[in-house]
Amino acid sequence: VAERHGDFWALGGIHRPVYLSISPSTSIEHIALDAKANGKMLIEAFTNKADENYTLEAQVQSLDGKAVGSAFSSKVAAGASKTILQQAFQHVQLWNAETPNLYQVTVSLKDNTGKNVHSITERFGFRTVEIRKRDGVYVNGNKIVLKGTNRHTFYPESGRTTSKALSILDAQLMKEMNMNAVR
């Protein structure tokens, strides 16, 4: 209904990627991770039907699959749907808009025999973002001046259905205009 009174075309159909994910009944639902610029990482792992007979194990890797540090783990508590995993890393490459250094973490749910029941892998960057009152936005301790624009995912020939290549073209155009933010 809101689109009928809006200033853009209302188009039908599926215009965003859709995925079907099949997981075992005892599984990792999702993770939330916080990887700070000082190398400290905190992972909140949310599980389905896991109990004290299960352990969550995490391994950080470079994007080419090389282990960064050793694996770390935490036992799932009885009746808990969330388990915390923590680790500190030395000499990490920090993420920022100009050097977007990324890592990946694989979190595995293991039963009491050590058998892997379910795993998920997420990409992330070590960075600390803070907003200082009456001062601004800081990334890894450096003040950032936001210069950006509003962007709608829309293309004349395909409407809201776009491709990765078109999104990359838009991002390159924004970088050429010295922008560092988009909504």
Side-chain angles (χ1 to χ4, degrees):
V1 174
E3 288 185 344
R4 291 185 191 139
H5 303 290
D7 62 349
F8 52 91
W9 294 340
L11 304 170
I14 297 173
H15 48 80
R16 300 249 194 283
V18 176
Y19 301 93
L20 177 63
S21 176
I22 299 172
S23 302
S25 59
T26 303
S27 61
I28 302 168
E29 183 179 294
H30 69 278
I31 64 169
L33 65 93
D34 186 13
K36 297 288 189 192
N38 62 7
K40 291 183 180 179
M41 173 185 253
L42 181 133
I43 300 172
E44 294 178 334
F46 297 84
T47 55
N48 290 315
K49 298 182 182 176
D51 58 23
E52 66 275 3
N53 295 311
Y54 292 88
T55 301
L56 283 158
E57 181 180 278
Q59 176 65 62
V60 174
Q61 302 170 324
S62 58
L63 292 184
D64 61 2
K66 294 179 184 163
V68 175
S70 56
F72 53 105
S73 63
S74 187
K75 194 111 170 103
V76 176
S81 62
K82 178 175 80 172
T83 303
I84 304 289
L85 296 102
Q86 297 182 72
Q87 184 73 310
F89 297 89
Q90 302 293 319
H91 312 294
V92 293
Q93 293 185 338
L94 300 183
W95 178 97
N96 65 51
E98 298 305 319
T99 55
N101 297 307
L102 291 175
Y103 294 86
Q104 63 189 11
V105 62
T106 299
V107 179
S108 302
L109 181 64
K110 298 187 176 205
D111 65 16
N112 57 7
T113 67
K115 179 183 170 199
N116 189 16
V117 176
H118 185 232
S119 294
I120 60 173
T121 300
E122 293 285 340
R123 290 170 53 159
F124 71 95
F126 284 95
R127 84 286 177 263
T128 299
V129 177
E130 57 185 315
I131 299 174
R132 297 182 187 170
K133 192 174 182 177
R134 292 184 175 79
D135 191 14
V137 178
Y138 286 76
V139 176
N140 303 331
N142 299 314
K143 187 173 184 172
I144 304 297
V145 176
L146 297 176
K147 299 171 279 183
T149 187
N150 182 23
R151 174 183 182 262
H152 287 275
T153 303
F154 196 89
Y155 195 69
E157 295 172 3
S158 59
R160 289 189 192 155
T161 305
T162 63
S163 66
K164 182 177 179 179
L166 289 173
S167 294
I168 290 171
L169 282 174
D170 278 355
Q172 288 171 336
L173 179 61
M174 287 182 262
K175 286 298 275 182
E176 288 172 10
M177 293 187 286
N178 203 28
M179 292 183 189
N180 63 1
V182 65
R183 184 194 73 82

